[in-house]
Amino acid sequence: MSGPCGVIMHPAIRFLLRTIQDVRPKVINCADRNRQDCKHSQAAQVLTQKINDIFSEYIMSSISTAYPSHEVHFHGIANSTKTTSTKTAKNKNVGKQKLDPLYKWHISELICMENMVRQIPEWGFSIHCTKNSNLEHAAVFLPETNEYFSASKGYGATINDKRARVSNISSIQESYLCINLNNKGQESESIATEKMQALKSMHLTSTTHCTDSPRCVIDLAYISSGKLESLISSKNQDISTQAGIFIARESGALLADLNGNPFGPGSTGLI
């Protein structure tokens, strides 16, 4: 199926992007109405939960209706205990058609809550679908800027219905580098050492443009579209980041671990 610009997309990702566009006004309206009341962290968490519920319930319901045999999960954080929680869609068609465990959709919680509260546009959600535990489709959605990065296996990557390709800058010294080796803002001595070793291994110069970034999945989406050229991250195994890694790969990005070995499921860190 072709997009408005003639880009061929898998029907599943085309459906997902339409669904994301449908729910966007509700997400933005909720954020705009309640941001000014978020002067304390508790209020910000309440707003985050509201936005998570609006987005996840609409997306989960839509996927369950379109693909009644697929499993659909939302992965979030329980605010009271800070523990990981998972919400699974209740499919009305389960009695008529059994769930197919081969296909599983995973929806992340809101990425970069602080940005959303402060009206910094880089916040959003990630979604990916697996078949036999292998990634088939993925999307990263930024509601504030109305940007949606997506990819399907064998179809390449897109940004807002246009083909997405990585930057043609091949020199690390000329690239814009994002660094994500922090642990919730508290950088330990071992993490600081890890960061310095990674930087030294890349032979960076004083002319290299660097930024310390906490939003790995968004940076990966930006790499897929050529907005950024490179990323060093220790965060590569969580639900949201998997979508970014898949989209970056489909756009032509080269991935390795912090030691320069080919990146894989068991890798520690990501370059």
Side-chain angles (χ1 to χ4, degrees):
M1 182 179 295
S2 298
C5 297
V7 176
I8 297 177
M9 292 184 178
H10 191 283
I13 209 70
R14 170 61 61 191
F15 152 78
L16 181 61
L17 295 182
R18 285 199 306 266
T19 304
I20 287 173
Q21 284 296 296
D22 289 342
V23 76
R24 177 179 178 266
K26 299 178 181 179
V27 170
I28 290 295
N29 289 339
C30 181
D32 288 344
R33 285 197 310 268
N34 297 282
R35 276 192 183 110
Q36 293 183 350
D37 298 328
C38 295
K39 297 180 180 179
H40 304 287
S41 60
Q42 186 174 0
Q45 290 175 0
V46 171
L47 174 56
T48 299
Q49 190 60 52
K50 286 182 180 178
I51 293 177
N52 278 335
D53 288 343
I54 291 172
F55 186 80
S56 64
E57 289 174 7
Y58 190 91
I59 297 295
M60 293 173 78
S61 174
S62 299
I63 293 175
S64 296
T65 300
Y67 302 99
S69 65
H70 293 193
E71 290 186 12
V72 190
H73 305 278
F74 172 75
H75 302 268
I77 299 294
N79 288 333
S80 59
T81 61
K82 296 296 182 181
T83 56
T84 302
S85 63
T86 302
K87 179 168 60 177
T88 303
K90 295 181 180 179
N91 198 316
K92 298 179 181 179
N93 299 315
V94 168
K96 303 177 182 178
Q97 185 172 1
K98 294 183 179 180
L99 290 177
D100 185 350
L102 297 180
Y103 289 92
K104 296 182 180 181
W105 293 81
H106 301 274
I107 306 167
S108 78
E109 64 172 347
L110 188 146
I111 304 162
C112 295
M113 174 189 75
E114 294 83 1
N115 286 359
M116 179 273 295
V117 172
R118 296 174 182 273
Q119 289 188 288
I120 299 172
E122 290 158 335
W123 59 275
F125 300 88
S126 75
I127 304 172
H128 69 268
C129 175
T130 61
K131 178 182 179 181
N132 286 328
S133 299
N134 296 315
L135 275 160
E136 291 285 314
H137 314 289
V140 174
F141 172 51
L142 308 184
E144 203 81 55
T145 59
N146 197 23
E147 290 178 294
Y148 39 98
F149 307 82
S150 63
S152 292
K153 188 176 181 180
Y155 283 75
T158 61
I159 170 174
N160 290 34
D161 298 321
K162 297 180 181 179
R163 180 64 63 207
R165 294 295 297 174
V166 294
S167 169
N168 59 7
I169 294 177
S170 59
S171 170
I172 187 64
Q173 284 76 21
E174 297 177 2
S175 70
Y176 198 103
L177 169 65
C178 284
I179 304 168
N180 181 349
L181 293 174
N182 285 353
N183 183 15
K184 298 181 179 180
Q186 302 297 320
E187 188 174 88
S188 65
E189 183 177 350
S190 61
I191 292 177
T193 302
E194 181 184 19
K195 177 186 292 187
M196 290 306 299
Q197 289 176 343
L199 293 177
K200 288 179 180 179
S201 69
M202 299 185 73
H203 306 290
L204 301 184
T205 69
S206 58
T207 60
T208 304
H209 304 287
C210 298
T211 180
D212 202 351
S213 170
R215 8 146 265 201
C216 182
V217 62
I218 297 176
D219 290 336
L220 285 164
Y222 283 166
I223 285 176
S224 74
S225 63
K227 291 186 175 184
L228 298 174
E229 283 82 36
S230 51
L231 167 72
I232 301 176
S233 177
S234 59
K235 183 180 180 182
N236 61 290
Q237 300 297 339
D238 67 358
I239 289 295
S240 66
T241 307
Q242 290 181 39
I245 290 172
F246 181 75
I247 294 171
R249 269 187 166 150
E250 287 293 322
S251 69
L254 302 177
L255 282 68
D257 64 19
L258 293 180
N259 295 316
N261 300 315
F263 181 82
S267 297
T268 301
L270 170 67
I271 297 177

